[in-house]
Amino acid sequence: MTLTSSAPAVADSPAATAVPPGIELREVSKQFAYRGGQLLALDGVSLSAARHSFVSLIGPSGCGKSTVLRLLAGLETATSGEVLIDGAPVTRDRRRQPLGIAFQDAALLPWRTVRQNIALPGEVIGTKSSPAQIDALIELVGLQAFADAKPRQLSGGMRQRVAIARALVTEPEVLLLDEPFGALDDLTRRTLNLELLGVLERKPATTLMVTHAIDEAILLSDTVVVMTPRPGRVLAVIDIDLPRPRGLEVLASERFRALEAEALRLLYGGMEQA
Ligand SMILES: Nc1ncnc2c1ncn2[C@@H]1O[C@H](COP(=O)(O)OP(=O)(O)O)[C@@H](O)[C@H]1O
Ligand SMILES: [Mg+2]
């Protein structure tokens, strides 16, 4: 939801305060036990994604980006601080907080077909999708010819398409994406970037995406959060004020290039301080 600048004092209106952020971390720290000692992965990270907005997380390798997603998915517990989804603390009960998750490694079940892999989350949480809904998702990610193929028969890019379709099958309120397009060639990556934009226009979800591609982060996001090298802290929050709907023409705009330059400066400046 975008608040226009013409609406005065909108932050104080009941409508604005009634909707909690889709995703929120408050002063979150995470320590791992490592080689008999402690490793501080996240140090007081606060970030927030307005409901149904798209936020990207960028930062050097090892700065804790995946840890942020794992905390939101309930796969790790914060050492201190609060992790909230739609205003409620994260629980391990997925039925109460349907999440769509697509991580770096597609992690498909090798003995299941594309269709069966996509259907899996619905079966697990007991909201089975109809064959027509599954077909629509398969078509969305362009895998009609491979609906009954097994993962080993697919390329890496195709497996990632399956993972994205699977993340969307429960029509989640919150989508967590960990470098979902990282292993794809540039052309496929762009195609899937645009498809994801289209999907989210039709079925909005609060989305947090980790990526190492700055251009992809800017193309897709409302907000880009730049993290410091480990221990991960929030270095900067960049508001991506490009109009929507967005297409590839955005990549050539002056404003896009300025945002990209700013993100690069923050990212590499942050690394020099390390
Ligand atoms: N389960 C774990 N045990 C110990 N250290 C971990 C564990 N998970 C992550 N780490 C460490 O925490 C830091 C952040 O990891 P991660 O969130 O994967 O970073 P990123 O995704 O930004 O590359 C890294 O130094 C990593 O080695
Ligand atoms: Mg990672």
Side-chain angles (χ1 to χ4, degrees):
M1 189 176 71
T2 313
L3 303 173
T4 62
S5 52
S6 58
V10 78
D12 297 331
S13 77
T17 51
V19 181
I23 287 173
E24 193 176 7
L25 270 69
R26 291 187 192 151
E27 287 295 316
V28 168
S29 294
K30 178 64 184 175
Q31 244 178 10
F32 290 108
Y34 181 69
R35 293 191 172 176
Q38 297 288 324
L39 182 143
L40 186 62
L42 296 174
D43 185 17
V45 170
S46 296
L47 61 87
S48 143
R51 187 162 176 269
H52 292 177
S53 68
F54 194 119
V55 175
S56 288
L57 214 49
I58 60 175
S61 178
C63 75
K65 303 180 296 296
S66 295
T67 301
V68 168
L69 293 191
R70 293 174 58 80
L71 287 165
L72 283 160
L75 299 170
E76 303 279 1
T77 324
T79 307
S80 63
E82 286 177 273
V83 181
L84 307 163
I85 286 182
D86 288 330
V90 165
T91 70
R92 285 170 193 277
D93 187 351
R94 291 272 174 77
R95 276 161 300 197
R96 289 179 55 206
Q97 288 168 331
L99 298 172
I101 303 175
F103 282 178
Q104 228 154 359
D105 162 16
L108 306 176
L109 298 180
W111 59 88
R112 285 192 160 223
T113 64
V114 164
R115 183 188 301 283
Q116 290 166 340
N117 266 287
I118 293 172
L120 184 68
E123 292 169 18
V124 170
I125 68 167
T127 58
K128 241 174 153 177
S129 314
S130 69
Q133 284 170 309
I134 305 273
D135 281 341
L137 275 171
I138 290 172
E139 195 179 331
L140 183 69
V141 295
L143 289 175
Q144 297 94 314
F146 294 87
D148 298 308
K150 298 278 175 62
R152 68 169 181 279
Q153 297 169 296
L154 307 176
S155 69
M158 290 161 111
R159 284 199 285 270
Q160 213 52 28
R161 285 163 178 254
V162 177
I164 287 161
R166 184 180 56 181
L168 294 168
V169 73
T170 57
E171 304 206 325
E173 269 296 305
V174 170
L175 198 55
L176 304 175
L177 305 173
D178 197 344
E179 304 195 17
F181 311 118
L184 308 182
D185 64 87
D186 279 353
L187 200 61
T188 310
R189 185 162 68 93
R190 275 290 173 259
T191 309
L192 283 184
N193 285 168
L194 295 181
E195 282 175 5
L196 182 61
L197 278 176
V199 168
L200 291 173
E201 265 163 40
R202 288 193 292 281
K203 174 67 184 77
T206 310
T207 305
L208 185 60
M209 178 181 76
V210 168
T211 178
H212 57 253
I214 292 174
D215 56 347
E216 174 177 279
I218 296 170
L219 175 63
L220 298 180
S221 303
D222 299 300
T223 308
V224 174
V225 175
V226 185
M227 290 176 68
T228 64
R230 188 173 65 79
R233 300 188 190 93
V234 173
L235 176 70
V237 175
I238 309 174
D239 178 31
I240 307 300
D241 51 4
L242 299 165
R244 291 187 189 269
R246 295 180 194 161
L248 289 183
E249 72 287 346
V250 144
L251 297 170
S253 70
E254 287 281 320
R255 186 63 192 142
F256 186 93
R257 293 207 192 127
L259 289 164
E260 195 172 36
E262 188 186 349
L264 276 167
R265 184 180 57 76
L266 286 163
L267 203 53
Y268 290 105
M271 285 169 88
E272 277 158 21
Q273 286 159 22

